[in-house]
């Protein structure tokens, strides 16, 4: 290595690296630290600058009284409801909007007609089947009646998935109104058309599981930020709804078991005495108890009752209502005490789900409630249910639908097992976001899905060590973050590209990095809990989250929100060079000797070297030699010593002591290749064997977001440096994270190394064995 | 209409029932790294594919429950057959290139698939690649491939409606 002296002022620089990329002057608009205020809405008395609900916060309310009948022979629902709507907004409303989600399945829906053509090079029967079913399926809410409280017809219009009710008189602020809607619809075959609720028919025993959701006409949310959120339901953008109280009477075949949002009001009418006794026992138990056993469910499948029973449920302060019904259901339950509340944790599943479901489902519910309550607020509802049916995974208040099942013979793969636990944690977890912290998912998918995926990761990690988590670890996000085909997290639900990564994985990873690397657990957990509690049973916007996290932590995170949520930049920090700085001792005898030593290390000029045998003119004519042929500017002169003495005398005692500092001054140059500013996590190894770990805050990039240097005062020579040694930051290119630079093997190469050696070893072993067996065949081995 | 039905008949390989729901559990994205290697004039490819999706599809094909354990040679054969059928590579001179199977491993719920594509040319210019992993089985499947040559990078995106992409014409 060549040490080149650049200057001999007070500090002399030794450059250990020559890597120099060209400088790009940062422009103002590229400043990653500029404040978020220019993007966030101006705070007002509905939404405060702190991120809390303002002193005039308001939201609407809707209470529902519903009677519904399930017609198993026709796979249809018939319903009647009375909605009481409370206008708590400051605006009079001359019409009301109601959601008819089933209209997504109408032949003329936007969903159906905006699908692009499949690829005809390879077209499968299954696709053709779904296409034809969709073509023939007469889905959609058939509205039979819209009337006021007295039964007089109300003018109304249906626009896609939305129903507008024209009020005879505007509903004044503070007023309320009641009206009735009657409807019927054909339930979707959920095994053939992808849906969030529908039926599954079992050919073998001719029974059906119904998972019923988006089934009744529901009020559109009317909000301070969007007015009526009557953006059409296309497919992806899920729901935003108003809170209210529900009383729902479900009439189903007599031998069905009904699972539902809310608390059962008439157990003595619908449950047997034995089932009620078992529930009493389950109320005292700590592990799930069967209310309907697998054998009883099997027995129940054999015959179909002709009569009907009506199950009455009530739910307070929920934003939606869903239920499931089947004679195939096994039912287990336990009253779980968590963070001071008693919650019925219950699962409903057919024998097809066994033995997996009775082993894991209700346990997964209890676990979710424990962990999520710890990080947010105690679970406020009296019930939490997981149902197995045709839907892969979908959330509703107090109830969710989860798909994974074992094989027909009762065995199951590891994937199925963890797939089930994972999906139950996720869907039960949705009770917190968005069922209680009621964000607008038609607008922003990430608020509930991203936050929920983050909490899901925390819950998975508390289930067992090395839980196979897909979302959460920073490095899992790298391939997505470097992809060129993505949109920022802050993108409307229907326009998101790479949906799962964008709205689930990336925000979950971002929050995990905030917690582990940027804020630390203590600060993060306090602020996150504050956000959850502030917005319980209210409707937060993205800005309310960003603002609360800063308000409760005193950490300015604008750069983080801006980079991670508003751009598609990725993380890639690089060590660009290391420079060693020496203190000038002011002693010419030391300094000039060092300079000479450095000069001696310089290579000889090539011409000089090749001319070495040539007889030079000054050798032939020595009289040509004079003073300058002997003069060396690096020789120490009397004048040098006098000058040094003068300088030393001019220094005070403190300054003279500083000159004797036994420190090495290292300037480490970093470059931000990916665009996202992030903290610099640096592991330093010294030549004396000691190690140091530095966490430099992201603010280090304030003055220049592309290239900065950090001064390290070291007591020993640095041997090596490594950026982000624990892969905390989703740094995309780890090859530039080392000094001295070190090639990092690709995944492919690592795998090839891994498989190459055992094969060779195995072969060698085999050859050796052969050799020992047949030493005489040694000669012919070379041919093989 | 005739063309439509005819193709439907030709392409039928097997019937898959409805894929699992994406809500709350959206996989259906594979991500791959494809590094151009100067010395061998080939691409070394590592693909990250959801094990859940793969097991579902291969089980349907094999008509039995299949678990990717990362060890069994028999499973590797099934995977090899499937993945080699999912790729088509065409050089500028219309010569088809067959990828080489290197192997696979399992990490958490991802399968890593390793393939090598020998081009026998100093550049990928004019080459096309068809990346059909899971795109017939899952309507929303997206396959991303991060192609890298030296400091040059590009992400290719493959979907059911556009499964063929051009490789970058880098030098
Ligand atoms: Zn979800």
């Amino acid at each position: 290595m060549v040490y080149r002296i650049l200057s001999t002022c007070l500090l002399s620089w030794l450059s250990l690296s020559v890597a120099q990329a060209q400088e790009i002057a940062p422009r103002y608009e590229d400043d990653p630290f500029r404040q978020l205020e220019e993007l966030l809405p101006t705070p007002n008395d509905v939404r405060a600058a702190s991120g809390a609900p303002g002193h005039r916060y308001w939201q609407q309310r809707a209470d529902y009284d519903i009677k519904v009948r399930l017609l198993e022979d026709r796979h249809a629902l018939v319903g009647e409801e009375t909605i009481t709507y409370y206008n708590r907004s400051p605006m009079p409303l001359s019409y009301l909007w109601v959601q008819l989600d089933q209209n997504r399945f109408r032949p003329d829906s936007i969903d159906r007609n905006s699908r692009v053509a499949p690829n005809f090079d390879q077209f499968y029967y299954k696709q053709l089947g779904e296409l034809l079913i969709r073509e023939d399926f007469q889905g959609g809410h058939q509205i039979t009646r819209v009337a006021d409280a007295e039964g007089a017809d109300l003018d109304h219009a249906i626009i896609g998935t939305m129903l507008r009710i024209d009020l005879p008189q505007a509903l004044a602020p503070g007023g309320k109104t009641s009206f009735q809607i009657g409807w019927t619809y054909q339930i979707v075959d959920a095994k053939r058309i992808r849906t969030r609720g529908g039926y599954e028919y079992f050919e073998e025993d001719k029974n059906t599981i119904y998972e019923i959701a988006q089934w009744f006409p529901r009020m559109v949310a009317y909000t301070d930020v969007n007015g009526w959120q009557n953006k059409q339901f296309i497919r992806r953008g899920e729901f935003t709804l108003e809170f209210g109280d529900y009383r729902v009477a479900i009439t189903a075949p007599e031998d069905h078991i009904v699972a539902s949002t809310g608390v059962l009001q008439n157990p003595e009418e619908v449950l047997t005495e034995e089932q009620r006794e078992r529930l009493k026992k389950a109320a005292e138990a700590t592990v799930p108890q069967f209310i309907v056993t697998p054998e009883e469910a099997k027995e129940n499948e054999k015959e179909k009752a002709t009569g009907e029973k009506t199950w009455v449920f009530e739910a307070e302060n929920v934003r939606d209502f869903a239920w499931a019904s089947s004679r195939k259901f096994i039912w287990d339950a336990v009253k779980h005490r968590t963070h001071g509340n008693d919650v019925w944790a219950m699962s409903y599943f057919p024998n097809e789900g066994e033995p997996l479901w009775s082993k894991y489902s209700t346990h997964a519910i209890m676990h979710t409630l424990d962990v999520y309550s710890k990080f947010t607020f105690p679970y406020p509802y009296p019930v939490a249910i997981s149902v197995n049916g045709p839907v892969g995974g979908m959330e509703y208040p107090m109830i969710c639908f989860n798909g994974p099942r074992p094989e027909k013979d009762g065995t199951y793969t590891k994937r199925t097992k963890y797939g089930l636990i994972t999906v139950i944690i996720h869907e039960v977890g949705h009770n917190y976001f968005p069922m209680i912290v009621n964000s607008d998912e038609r607008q922003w998918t990430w608020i509930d899905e991203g936050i929920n995926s983050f909490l899901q990761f925390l819950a998975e990690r508390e289930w067992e060590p090395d839980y196979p988590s897909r979302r959460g670890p920073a490095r899992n996000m790298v391939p997505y973050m470097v992809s060129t085909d993505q949109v920022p997290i802050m993108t409307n639900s229907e326009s998101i590209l790479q949906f799962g990564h964008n709205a689930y994985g990336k925000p979950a990873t971002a929050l995990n990095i905030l917690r582990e690397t940027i804020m630390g657990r203590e600060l993060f957990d306090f602020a996150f809990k504050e956000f959850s509690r502030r917005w319980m049973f209210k409707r937060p916007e993205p800005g309310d989250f960003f603002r609360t996290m800063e308000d409760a932590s005193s950490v300015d995170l604008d750069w983080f929100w801006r980079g991670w949520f508003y751009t598609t930049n990725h993380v890639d920090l690089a060590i660009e060079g290391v420079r060693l700085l020496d203190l000038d001792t002011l002693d010419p005898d030391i300094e000039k000797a060092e300079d000479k030593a450095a000069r001696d290390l310089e290579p000889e000029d090539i011409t000089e070297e090749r001319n070495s045998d040539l007889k030079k003119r000054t050798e032939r004519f020595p009289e040509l030699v004079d003073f300058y042929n002997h003069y060396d500017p690096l020789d120490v002169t009397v004048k040098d010593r006098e000058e040094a003495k003068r300088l030393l005398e001019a220094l005070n005692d403190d300054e003279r002591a500083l000159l004797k500092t036994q420190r090495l001054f290292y300037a480490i140059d970093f470059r931000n290749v990916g665009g996202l500013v992030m903290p610099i996590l640096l592991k330093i190894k010294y030549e004396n064997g000691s190690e140091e770990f530095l966490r430099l805050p992201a603010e280090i990039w304030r003055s220049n977001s592309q290239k900065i240097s950090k001064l390290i005062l070291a007591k020993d020579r640095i041997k090596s440096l490594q950026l982000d040694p624990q892969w905390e930051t989703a740094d995309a290119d780890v090859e530039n994270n080392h000094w001295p630079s070190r090639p990092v093997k690709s995944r492919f190469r690592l795998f090839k190394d891994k498989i190459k050696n055992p094969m060779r070893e195995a072969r060698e072993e085999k050859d050796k064995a052969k050799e020992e067996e047949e030493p005489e065949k040694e000669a012919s081995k070379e041919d093989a | 209409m005739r063309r439509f039905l005819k193709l439907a008949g030709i392409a039928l390989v097997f019937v898959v029932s409805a894929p699992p729901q994406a809500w709350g559990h959206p996989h259906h994205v594979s991500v791959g790294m494809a590094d151009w290697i100067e010395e061998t004039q080939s691409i070394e490819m590592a693909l990250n594919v959801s094990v859940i999706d793969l097991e579902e599809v291969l089980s349907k094909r094999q008509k039995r429950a299949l678990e990717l354990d990362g060890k069994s040679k028999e499973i590797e054969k099934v995977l090899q057959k499937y993945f080699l059928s999912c790729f088509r590579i065409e050089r500028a001179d219309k010569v088809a290139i067959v990828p080489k199977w290197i192997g696979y491993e399992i990490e958490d719920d991802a399968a890593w698939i390793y393939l090598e594509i020998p081009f026998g040319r100093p550049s990928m210019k004019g080459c096309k690649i068809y990346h059909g992993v899971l795109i017939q089985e899952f309507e929303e499947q997206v396959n991303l491939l991060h192609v890298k040559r030296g400091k040059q990078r590009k992400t290719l995106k493959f979907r059911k409606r556009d499964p063929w992409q051009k490789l970058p014409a880098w030098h």
Side-chain angles (χ1 to χ4, degrees):
Chain A
M1 192 175 292
V2 181
Y3 289 15
R4 179 176 289 276
I5 297 169
L6 296 178
S7 69
T8 342
C9 56
L10 190 69
L11 295 173
S12 65
W13 292 81
L14 298 182
S15 177
L16 302 191
S17 159
V18 287
Q20 272 306 328
Q22 83 264 30
E23 197 76 32
I24 307 159
R27 289 170 299 141
Y28 168 69
E29 55 269 37
D30 290 330
D31 173 14
F33 289 92
R34 67 194 194 279
Q35 293 295 285
L36 214 55
E37 274 166 71
E38 60 190 59
L39 291 176
L40 295 182
T42 308
N44 54 40
D45 46 14
V46 180
R47 288 170 198 277
S50 64
H55 68 280
R56 287 216 176 90
Y57 179 83
W58 59 267
Q59 66 188 19
Q60 308 293 68
R61 176 192 168 96
D63 292 342
Y64 295 81
D65 191 338
I66 310 177
K67 291 184 182 64
V68 62
R69 201 162 153 229
L70 170 65
L71 305 174
E72 185 168 10
D73 52 340
R74 285 173 33 209
H75 298 310
L77 272 193
V78 185
E80 276 277 337
E81 69 181 349
T82 300
I83 302 179
T84 305
Y85 186 71
Y86 301 80
N87 182 11
R88 284 160 173 187
S89 81
M91 302 296 288
L93 301 171
S94 56
Y95 47 76
L96 305 177
W97 285 99
V98 177
Q99 312 189 55
L100 306 175
D101 301 273
Q102 290 297 323
N103 284 2
R104 175 162 92 86
F105 299 107
R106 280 170 61 101
D108 59 357
S109 72
I110 296 184
D111 176 25
R112 193 133 130 192
N113 293 319
S114 67
R115 283 176 192 251
V116 295
N119 165 24
F120 293 111
D121 294 346
Q122 282 201 323
F123 193 62
Y124 288 78
Y125 279 143
K126 178 217 138 203
Q127 285 171 267
L128 179 62
E130 179 165 349
L131 225 114
L132 293 177
I133 288 163
R134 280 182 175 279
E135 211 60 27
D136 283 347
F137 181 63
Q138 291 302 315
H141 273 111
Q142 309 289 322
I143 300 299
T144 51
R145 197 163 81 97
V146 179
D148 65 15
E150 279 69 47
D153 285 349
L154 284 170
D155 287 342
H156 61 275
I158 294 171
I159 299 103
T161 65
M162 298 291 160
L163 163 71
R164 191 189 68 228
I165 300 179
D166 301 325
L167 299 175
Q169 274 160 357
L171 179 61
K176 69 170 178 176
T177 184
S178 287
F179 54 93
Q180 305 167 29
I181 302 178
W183 77 94
T184 174
Y185 76 87
Q186 202 61 42
I187 301 167
V188 181
D189 180 347
K191 275 288 167 192
R192 309 181 79 170
I193 296 179
R194 281 161 59 97
T195 157
R196 295 170 176 83
Y199 73 84
E200 174 181 13
Y201 181 68
F202 292 78
E203 194 57 56
E204 281 167 30
D205 53 86
K206 310 264 185 285
N207 283 302
T208 307
I209 292 177
Y210 294 92
E211 289 181 322
I212 304 296
Q214 292 98 42
W215 56 284
F216 59 101
R218 306 180 292 182
M219 290 308 302
V220 169
Y222 180 76
T223 74
D224 60 301
V225 282
N226 288 315
W228 289 106
Q229 177 47 293
N230 53 5
K231 203 171 180 318
Q232 291 283 322
F233 179 35
I234 299 179
R235 185 151 42 123
R236 262 186 185 168
E238 287 186 340
F239 315 107
T240 190
L241 301 148
E242 306 286 13
F243 286 103
D245 295 344
Y246 284 71
R247 182 183 166 83
V248 179
I250 300 164
T251 302
E254 196 174 22
D255 50 356
H256 272 213
I257 294 286
V258 177
S260 170
T261 301
V263 176
L264 181 62
Q265 301 298 306
N266 58 339
E268 58 296 322
E269 286 172 32
V270 293
L271 302 181
T272 65
E273 207 179 318
E274 182 162 19
Q275 286 164 349
R276 280 179 278 144
E277 272 311 307
R278 288 174 183 171
L279 273 169
K280 269 188 206 153
K281 244 182 71 194
E284 306 303 323
T286 52
V287 291
Q289 307 289 313
F290 282 121
I291 311 303
V292 176
T293 66
E295 299 72 34
E296 288 162 353
K298 196 96 229 155
E299 197 53 40
N300 210 13
E301 286 177 3
K302 288 181 183 160
E303 265 177 79
K304 284 182 190 165
T306 48
E308 289 180 323
K309 264 200 273 194
T310 299
W311 301 57
V312 180
F313 293 91
E314 284 185 6
E316 284 173 21
N317 215 10
V318 286
R319 64 167 230 170
D320 198 359
F321 196 101
W323 50 283
S325 185
S326 180
R327 67 175 62 77
K328 288 176 72 69
F329 280 150
I330 301 165
W331 173 11
D332 74 17
V334 61
K335 201 175 228 178
H336 179 51
R337 174 155 276 268
T338 179
H339 293 79
N341 291 349
D342 280 336
V343 184
W344 276 107
M346 307 197 279
S347 300
Y348 297 77
F349 45 93
N351 268 284
E352 283 77 357
E354 282 294 75
L356 198 57
W357 270 71
S358 62
K359 191 171 176 71
Y360 291 115
S361 175
T362 300
H363 265 287
I365 297 172
M366 293 191 279
H367 178 70
T368 307
L369 299 180
D370 290 347
V371 178
Y372 276 60
S373 295
K374 183 170 80 183
F375 287 105
T376 58
F377 40 77
Y379 184 71
Y381 292 135
V383 178
I385 292 172
S386 159
V387 180
N388 178 242
V391 178
M394 187 59 206
E395 66 275 12
Y396 301 96
M398 304 188 218
I399 189 170
C400 55
F401 305 152
N402 302 301
R405 271 181 203 153
E407 303 304 323
K408 280 213 162 72
D409 62 4
T411 62
Y412 50 84
T413 62
K414 186 181 162 200
R415 310 291 150 199
T416 304
K417 172 190 161 183
Y418 289 102
L420 177 70
I421 299 168
T422 300
V423 75
I424 292 177
I425 292 174
H426 182 95
E427 308 303 352
V428 173
H430 268 308
N431 272 297
Y432 298 77
F433 302 85
M435 299 305 153
I436 293 166
V437 178
N438 183 22
S439 58
D440 181 350
E441 207 174 349
R442 183 108 355 137
Q443 202 73 3
W444 310 111
T445 297
W446 74 266
I447 303 186
D448 77 302
E449 294 299 358
I451 290 179
N452 186 38
S453 298
F454 161 68
L455 289 168
Q456 174 197 335
F457 174 65
L458 299 185
E460 286 169 5
R461 293 288 136 148
E462 289 196 33
W463 177 275
E464 69 184 36
D466 297 322
Y467 189 98
S469 297
R470 188 179 179 85
R471 299 207 163 103
R475 67 182 147 130
N476 291 4
M477 219 52 238
V478 169
Y480 167 69
M481 288 188 61
V482 297
S483 67
T484 46
D485 186 31
Q486 49 166 317
V487 292
I489 293 176
M490 285 295 291
T491 297
N492 173 261
S493 304
E494 294 292 346
S495 307
I496 292 171
L497 302 173
Q498 304 192 55
F499 199 71
H501 287 311
N502 177 289
Y504 293 65
K506 187 177 166 187
T509 304
L511 294 183
N512 202 43
I513 289 176
L514 261 191
R515 179 169 189 256
E516 301 285 13
T517 304
I518 290 158
M519 299 172 78
R521 289 187 173 193
E522 214 175 305
L523 271 187
F524 178 92
D525 291 352
F526 179 84
F528 183 76
K529 189 176 269 189
E530 179 67 17
F531 169 73
S532 313
R533 293 184 177 196
R534 279 179 176 181
W535 290 97
M536 258 182 105
F537 298 114
K538 296 191 173 73
R539 180 179 286 113
E541 286 286 303
D544 301 318
F545 178 64
F546 300 149
R547 284 177 159 141
T548 297
M549 292 302 286
E550 299 188 5
D551 185 62
S553 69
S554 92
V555 182
D556 181 357
L557 296 168
D558 285 15
W559 62 271
F560 187 83
W561 308 130
R562 187 180 282 280
W564 280 78
F565 289 75
Y566 288 86
T567 79
T568 57
N569 290 340
H570 64 276
V571 183
D572 182 7
L573 303 186
I575 299 177
E576 211 169 41
V578 174
R579 290 167 291 157
L580 173 59
L581 295 70
D582 272 340
L583 262 192
D584 191 327
T585 59
L586 294 184
D587 183 341
D589 289 295
I590 297 175
E591 293 298 322
K592 286 198 161 174
E594 271 183 10
D595 292 352
K596 268 187 182 171
R599 188 179 57 189
D600 290 346
L601 283 172
E602 286 177 20
E604 194 178 359
D605 179 81
I606 184 92
T607 312
E608 195 70 25
E609 185 193 280
R610 290 178 183 169
N611 283 353
S612 61
D613 291 341
L614 268 174
K615 195 96 172 143
K616 312 288 178 339
R617 187 164 193 86
T618 51
E619 287 170 66
R620 284 191 277 139
F621 303 96
E623 63 272 28
L624 295 179
V625 172
D626 77 346
F627 169 81
Y628 289 104
N629 291 85
H630 299 297
Y631 172 68
D632 183 348
L634 291 183
D635 282 341
V636 181
T637 64
V638 177
K639 205 180 154 216
D640 286 340
R641 293 199 177 104
E642 274 170 4
E643 175 70 9
K645 204 176 157 208
R646 199 179 56 76
L647 277 172
L648 268 176
E649 275 164 5
L651 295 177
N652 62 32
D653 290 347
D654 290 348
E655 288 168 334
R656 265 195 292 274
L658 275 176
L659 271 186
K660 302 216 159 54
T661 310
Q662 292 299 309
R663 291 286 171 92
L664 296 163
F665 295 74
Y666 279 99
I668 303 172
D669 301 329
F670 297 99
R671 182 166 286 275
N672 177 0
V673 182
L676 280 190
V677 293
M678 285 295 270
I680 292 176
L681 313 178
L682 189 67
K683 187 163 149 189
I684 307 174
K685 279 191 180 169
Y686 293 100
E687 282 184 354
N688 65 11
S690 65
E691 279 186 20
E692 193 179 359
F693 188 68
L694 295 183
R695 286 179 174 266
L696 309 173
E699 281 80 359
I700 196 168
W701 300 99
R702 269 187 339 259
S703 56
N704 184 333
S705 62
Q706 290 160 19
K707 187 179 187 301
I708 50 107
S709 294
K710 176 72 186 170
L711 184 69
I712 309 270
L713 299 178
K715 286 189 176 134
D716 191 27
R717 281 189 177 269
I718 292 178
K719 191 173 167 212
S720 69
L721 297 168
Q722 187 184 1
L723 268 178
D724 193 10
Q726 282 186 285
W727 292 356
E728 289 175 58
T729 64
D731 194 315
D733 186 359
V734 290
E735 206 162 314
N736 57 24
N737 285 6
H738 293 273
W739 179 87
S741 74
R742 163 190 322 176
V744 176
K745 279 199 174 173
S746 72
R747 221 188 143 104
F748 182 96
R749 288 289 168 95
L750 286 172
F751 178 77
K752 246 187 148 175
D753 289 352
K754 202 154 84 186
I755 56 165
K756 194 167 63 191
N757 297 339
M759 264 176 71
R760 193 197 295 139
E761 275 162 29
R763 198 179 301 141
E764 281 167 358
E765 252 174 51
K766 217 169 119 193
D767 289 349
K768 213 172 143 198
K770 243 192 212 156
E771 246 171 65
E772 280 161 12
E773 259 175 42
E774 312 164 290
E776 71 276 12
K777 284 193 177 169
E778 188 74 74
S780 62
K781 225 180 81 187
E782 273 164 50
D783 305 336
Chain B
M1 191 63 192
R2 210 176 70 215
R3 179 177 133 81
F4 183 94
L5 283 175
K6 194 176 114 218
L7 287 168
I10 289 166
L12 176 88
V13 185
F14 56 94
V15 180
V16 200
S17 76
Q21 301 282 312
W23 338 120
H25 212 65
H27 297 297
H28 308 325
V29 178
S30 86
V31 181
M33 272 83 80
D35 296 349
W36 174 267
I37 308 299
E38 296 298 344
E39 305 86 76
T40 55
Q41 301 189 339
S42 65
I43 277 182
E44 293 181 348
M45 200 150 75
L47 302 173
N48 178 312
V49 188
S50 155
V51 169
I52 294 168
D53 292 350
L54 262 185
E55 281 179 348
E56 182 182 328
V57 166
L58 296 177
S59 298
K60 294 259 158 60
R61 288 196 151 194
Q62 298 286 307
K63 299 194 171 58
R64 71 194 162 97
L66 215 106
E67 188 170 4
L68 304 185
D69 56 359
K71 291 181 207 95
S72 145
K73 284 281 149 203
E74 189 209 341
I75 302 276
E76 176 156 0
K77 284 246 167 60
V78 175
L79 274 174
Q80 176 172 359
K81 193 168 159 230
Y82 176 70
F83 275 88
L84 294 184
S85 77
C86 287
F87 281 91
R88 267 164 259 162
I89 298 112
E90 214 180 271
R91 231 163 50 183
D93 55 6
K94 302 284 172 225
V95 172
I97 303 167
V98 182
K100 216 168 97 191
W101 176 263
I102 304 298
Y104 88 109
E105 61 186 334
I106 302 292
E107 194 180 278
D108 293 340
D109 62 355
W112 284 93
I113 309 292
Y114 302 96
L115 298 170
E116 196 174 338
I117 308 171
F119 282 83
R121 288 282 185 283
S123 144
M124 296 174 264
K125 194 176 171 188
C127 298
K128 285 196 308 179
I129 180 164
Y130 172 94
H131 181 342
V133 172
L134 301 177
I135 65 171
Q136 294 314 323
E137 294 83 359
F138 301 113
E139 192 71 35
E140 291 172 356
Q141 179 73 27
V142 177
N143 295 318
L144 298 176
L145 197 61
H146 301 306
V147 189
K148 190 175 142 196
R149 178 171 183 171
K151 293 230 175 272
Q152 305 170 99
R153 284 156 198 272
K154 188 180 164 73
T155 304
L156 304 180
K157 180 174 167 183
F158 304 83
R159 283 169 303 190
K160 185 175 251 170
R161 70 181 108 113
D162 41 17
W164 279 97
Q165 297 296 335
K166 270 194 203 131
L167 283 163
W170 296 324
H171 290 283

